[in-house]
Structure formats: C-alpha cells, structure tokens
Amino acid sequence: MSNETFTTPGKIIAVHLNYRSRAEQRGRIPAQPSYFLKPSSSISATGEVLERPAGTELLAYEGEIALIIGERTRRVSPAEGWSRVSGVTAANDFGLYDLRAADKGSNVRSKGGDGFTPIGPGVIPSIDIDPAALRVRTWVNGALVQEDTTDTLLFPFGQLVADLSQLMTLEPGDMILTGTPAGSSVARPGDVVEVEVDAPTAPGAPTSGRLVTTITAGTEPFGDFGTKPSVDDLQRTEAWGSAEAAGLAAAAIPAAPQASAPAFQLTPELRERILSVGVATLSVQMRRRGYNDISIEGVAANKPGAKMVGRARTLRFVPFRPDLFESHGGGFNAQKRAFDTVNAGEVLVVDARGVRETGTVGDVLALRAQVRGAAGIVTDGGVRDFDIVASLDIPTFSQGPHPSVLGRRHVPWDADVTIACGGAAVQPGDVIVGDGDGVIVIPPALVVEVVDAAIVQEREEAFVAEMVAAGEPVDGLFPMNAAWKKRYLEWPGV
C-alpha cells in the first residue's frame, strides 16, 4: 500500500449495479454495466466530516473499490483494461435518497454533494494484486455491515475500463467507482462509517487502510428556488435496504394493486429444492446479502450424510442456579413441553449457550421428537445417550456426546422465543438447513431467492468442475471471465 495525497480526478464515473449480492437485493440483474458521473468537488479524504443536509433523512453509504486510471486510455479490449489501472483504493459513494426525485435518474444532486465521495487513505498498486481477489468491507460504528469479494462481480474491472473507453478517453487520475455489495443502508448524524479495500490472499495482504467519515447534521435549509428534499416509504425501504430495517410494515410500501401474498410455506417442493444444494452454497448466498452470522457454530451431525431442513421451534436454557432449577427444572418443564409439542417438519433448536459439558437432549426426548415427525434437532450443547440418539432416524446436530444430566449446567427456561444458538439468532419459524458442513438459519422472506441463486451457483460450479476435469487451467475459469461465461451459457447443463 502507498499513502498518497490524491490529485483531483478529472472524471469520477460510478457503476450502478455490479455485485451480484446487490443486484439480487434490488431484484434486477443487468445484462451490461451502466454508469453515472460524480463531480470532482464531491471528493473528500479520510477523517473528514460529512454533513447530512438539513431537512433530509436518507443519507446512504455505499462502500466501494475505486479504480485509478494510470495512463491515457482509449478503445482498449477487456483483456487490456486492467493494465490501464495504476491502483485501487477505498471509496464511499454517499447518496441522498431524499433528492432522487429531483434528479430524474441523473444522480446529479443525490450523489453530487460536497464530500459525498470520500476516497483513500492509501492506494494498492495494481501490479501487486489479482483484480478478482479483492475484498471490500464497510463498518458503521464498529459493526461490519458490508463485505464482498470481486470474484462475485457481474462485470470485471477490465470490462468496465474497456466499455467506457469505447466512448471517452480516460485520463490519468480518473476514477471508476465499481459498485457496492449488499448491505448499504442509512447513516445518521453521529455515525462513523469506515470502508477498507484489501487483497487478503496477495503477498503481504495489502490494504487501502480504513477510510473514515463522520456524519454530522446540517443546519442550512434548502431554499425555495429548486426542488426540495422529499421521501416516501418506497425510498425509505430502498435506502435502508428493507421495509423491516426502515421500521415500516410491508403493506405501507407503495405497490401495484394485487392479491395479498400468501404467508410463507415450506412446501414439499421447496424442501426438495433446498436439499438439492449444499449448506456451504446457501451460506455464500446469504453472505452476499449481508447475512454473515447465520451459521450455528460448533455443531456437527450425529451421523455421516445427515441432511435436514425445517422451520424452527426454539427452546432456551439459562445457567444453573439451585432456586431457579427448583422452580423451573421439574415436572412438565419447558424442555419437555418443547419436545412434546414439536410438529411434523419442524426443527427443534436449543439454546444451550454453547456449553457442551452436559447433555441437553437424550434418547427418550429425541425419540419423542422423531415420533412426532420433527425434521431434526439442533443444540449448541451436548447430547446424552449419543449412540442411541445417533441410531434414530431423526438428524441431530450438536457439539458431541456428554454423559451428564441437564441440571449440571442448565435450567430449562422457556420455549418458542427468539434465541441465540451457536452464535446465530434464531426465531420461531426461521428455516433451518443442515448437512455435513454444518447448520445455517435463513429468514423465511429470503428462502426462495437464496435457494434459486444457490441452484444457479452450483450449476456454474458444476461447469467449472467439468472443465477442470477436462484439463483446463483455473486462471480465467474460476471465477469465469467473459469468454468462459459465454461458453457456460452454451453448456448443455444450463
């Protein structure tokens, strides 16, 4: 990485949609890249303060990788495009959804404000890195909110340079903002937004360093001589990333009149589609949508080859205390109620706080869940009577065997509440999927799109595997460049 004072670029060109995770979140996957311009006056440096204008509410951050053009470039091919890039750095493509209506699609006002394009602090020289092996991450107040890698791009960097150079001359110092992944949302006064670009697999793991921007509240109102800021629930939903994040009921979002959508159902057909793909693939798709903590850590199947899918029922234990165990541990307690009421097709998920030094389910309760038709059991604690439980048909995922009884460490407290299991939040009704790679949690609203995308991903990976088996090198194939994508689309498996 080199630290440098950036010269003011003659042009800043930004890509609308480029990461598959963001495109899928938006519900549209473009066939070709599209762009907009940002003024050079929008550039700012790390550590500077960005004012959210008075009278606005939807200032959104978008962590991105910025390409810096190194030499005069006109009419190059996609294969040559990357060679015209001198380096990359972090950028934050801030925008005001409050002014989108004023722009008529141009982004002049919504994206062009002073300080709306922080860049830096350092540059990673292009000669040191693989453009398909970069990572971009964004934090808000220290919490990671965006993370993706350039092997998921819809349009590789070389293609962007080539495409733009067909029409305009790119000059040294010009910048191309290459799109943001899923996870963009709203920043509010007082928030600190940080973006970093790095190449974690390159020698020395070069990094741009953290690009830091602090948001403050503006005090100068807009005048009456131009379009004033305005928002509606649709803009709020798009800015925040979802109606839920915006604090809106889904019904409040303007939409074309239509019949009420049915509640989510895990149908037999959908179960089969989920089971046709691996948990690892589903996990990738969830990460692309900004869900990085959906794996139930530390658990494994009680027998090889076990697969599981079902909607969550939950059970929560609290740490052992004699008086609490006396009041809640005996009789028809929460543990027994949960196992005695789990329904066909459901997965009972147990919050044992990651404590494996005692059993949290044994042979009798596991058998009861099986008889009731449950699809599986997940606990981030231990299992008693492990060999007998493993011999049952019902899949059980746990931290492994332990002979001690429940009361050694736990009090069965309540059921059918939001819990934490293996570091993942689980709500009743979430979809739980498990196989040899582990267990993940998928919110019902995401299931169909995640499974559809996972099926496409595994089909692409099957093509890559077939080509590698036929003797093809992985360079350009994994991930696929434009030429290989064309061959993939002609493959009989598509």
Side-chain angles (χ1 to χ4, degrees):
M1 180 189 80
S2 65
N3 290 307
E4 57 181 72
T5 301
F6 293 92
T7 58
T8 302
K11 295 186 289 295
I12 307 169
I13 306 163
V15 181
H16 280 110
L17 288 173
N18 199 6
Y19 285 87
R20 182 171 291 275
S21 63
R22 176 72 161 175
E24 290 172 342
Q25 184 183 44
R26 289 295 198 191
R28 58 184 188 275
I29 298 180
Q32 300 295 343
S34 61
Y35 313 91
F36 59 93
L37 288 166
K38 300 193 76 172
S40 57
S41 56
S42 69
I43 291 287
S44 63
T46 188
E48 294 192 14
V49 170
L50 175 61
E51 179 184 290
R52 188 186 75 179
T56 66
E57 64 173 272
L58 301 178
L59 176 65
Y61 56 82
E62 295 183 4
E64 305 200 11
I65 298 171
L67 309 183
I68 303 171
I69 299 299
E71 59 182 281
R72 200 167 189 269
T73 300
R74 180 77 160 111
R75 293 195 177 100
V76 296
S77 69
E80 299 171 306
W82 175 247
S83 69
R84 305 307 171 95
V85 175
S86 63
V88 302
T89 189
N92 201 331
D93 181 18
F94 280 101
L96 267 178
Y97 281 71
D98 310 64
L99 290 174
R100 286 175 111 193
D103 281 342
K104 305 292 190 270
S106 70
N107 287 341
V108 168
R109 298 185 73 196
S110 63
K111 293 275 194 175
D114 287 353
F116 275 33
T117 314
I119 59 169
V123 174
I124 305 174
S126 61
I127 195 170
D128 296 338
I129 52 175
D130 176 358
L134 292 169
R135 176 174 62 176
V136 59
R137 291 179 290 175
T138 305
W139 295 261
V140 176
N141 301 327
L144 183 65
V145 293
Q146 288 186 288
E147 180 177 8
D148 214 329
T149 51
T150 50
D151 60 347
T152 71
L153 290 178
L154 297 171
F155 312 113
F157 294 155
Q159 180 181 349
L160 300 179
V161 175
D163 184 27
L164 290 165
S165 75
Q166 294 182 97
L167 181 66
M168 66 183 76
T169 299
L170 300 174
E171 302 286 355
D174 283 353
M175 289 188 177
I176 303 173
L177 307 189
T178 58
T180 195
S184 166
S185 192
V186 171
R188 292 174 287 197
D191 286 347
V192 177
V193 186
E194 300 172 272
V195 182
E196 181 182 12
V197 171
D198 66 348
T201 61
T207 174
S208 67
R210 295 262 183 120
L211 171 64
V212 182
T213 307
T214 300
I215 311 302
T216 61
T219 58
E220 189 71 25
F222 283 85
D224 294 328
F225 36 82
T227 304
K228 288 191 174 182
S230 64
V231 295
D232 56 27
D233 285 348
L234 177 59
Q235 294 303 325
R236 290 186 178 96
T237 299
E238 293 207 345
W240 283 95
S242 70
E244 210 172 41
L248 302 170
I253 303 168
Q258 58 182 11
S260 297
F264 173 81
Q265 291 187 334
L266 187 56
T267 63
E269 294 77 16
L270 183 53
R271 285 177 184 272
E272 289 303 314
R273 287 172 61 78
I274 296 171
L275 291 171
S276 73
V277 293
V279 163
T281 309
L282 294 169
S283 179
V284 169
Q285 293 301 326
M286 289 294 291
R287 182 177 63 82
R288 289 176 180 175
R289 288 158 177 79
Y291 288 77
N292 297 302
D293 296 307
I294 44 78
S295 294
I296 296 180
E297 303 292 350
V299 304
N302 56 350
K303 51 190 172 187
K307 300 189 76 172
M308 168 188 72
V309 60
R311 302 197 70 176
R313 292 284 298 275
T314 61
L315 169 63
R316 183 167 73 103
F317 296 147
V318 298
F320 177 80
R321 210 173 78 182
D323 59 327
L324 298 182
F325 196 85
E326 183 177 355
S327 63
H328 285 74
F332 195 48
N333 59 39
Q335 180 194 38
K336 293 176 182 176
R337 290 197 304 272
F339 278 90
D340 213 37
T341 60
V342 65
N343 294 314
E346 295 177 335
V347 174
L348 187 57
V349 184
V350 181
D351 172 7
R353 308 182 319 286
V355 177
R356 65 168 300 168
E357 294 86 10
T358 188
T360 55
V361 57
D363 56 349
V364 173
L365 292 180
L367 179 60
R368 180 58 178 157
Q370 176 176 297
V371 168
R372 290 191 57 81
I377 302 167
V378 182
T379 173
D380 61 356
V383 171
R384 294 184 71 224
D385 313 307
F386 187 86
D387 291 342
I388 299 174
V389 173
S391 71
L392 298 175
D393 294 332
I394 187 170
T396 300
F397 290 76
S398 71
Q399 289 212 56
H402 202 282
S404 293
V405 295
L406 182 73
R408 179 170 184 255
R409 289 293 185 90
H410 302 296
V411 179
W413 196 252
D414 52 9
D416 295 325
V417 295
T418 299
I419 62 170
C421 184
V426 183
Q427 292 194 301
D430 283 344
V431 174
I432 310 297
V433 188
D435 66 13
D437 282 330
V439 180
I440 63 169
V441 185
I442 308 177
L446 290 177
V447 171
V448 173
E449 69 171 274
V450 165
V451 172
D452 287 347
I455 289 172
V456 172
Q457 179 186 334
E458 292 204 345
R459 189 182 301 131
E460 292 175 349
E461 291 173 352
F463 168 77
V464 170
E466 183 175 307
M467 296 302 103
V468 171
E472 297 286 353
V474 296
D475 185 29
L477 172 61
F478 187 61
M480 288 186 279
N481 58 23
W484 274 112
K485 284 181 179 177
K486 182 178 179 181
R487 287 185 60 177
Y488 165 71
L489 293 174
E490 298 167 352
W491 185 51
V494 177

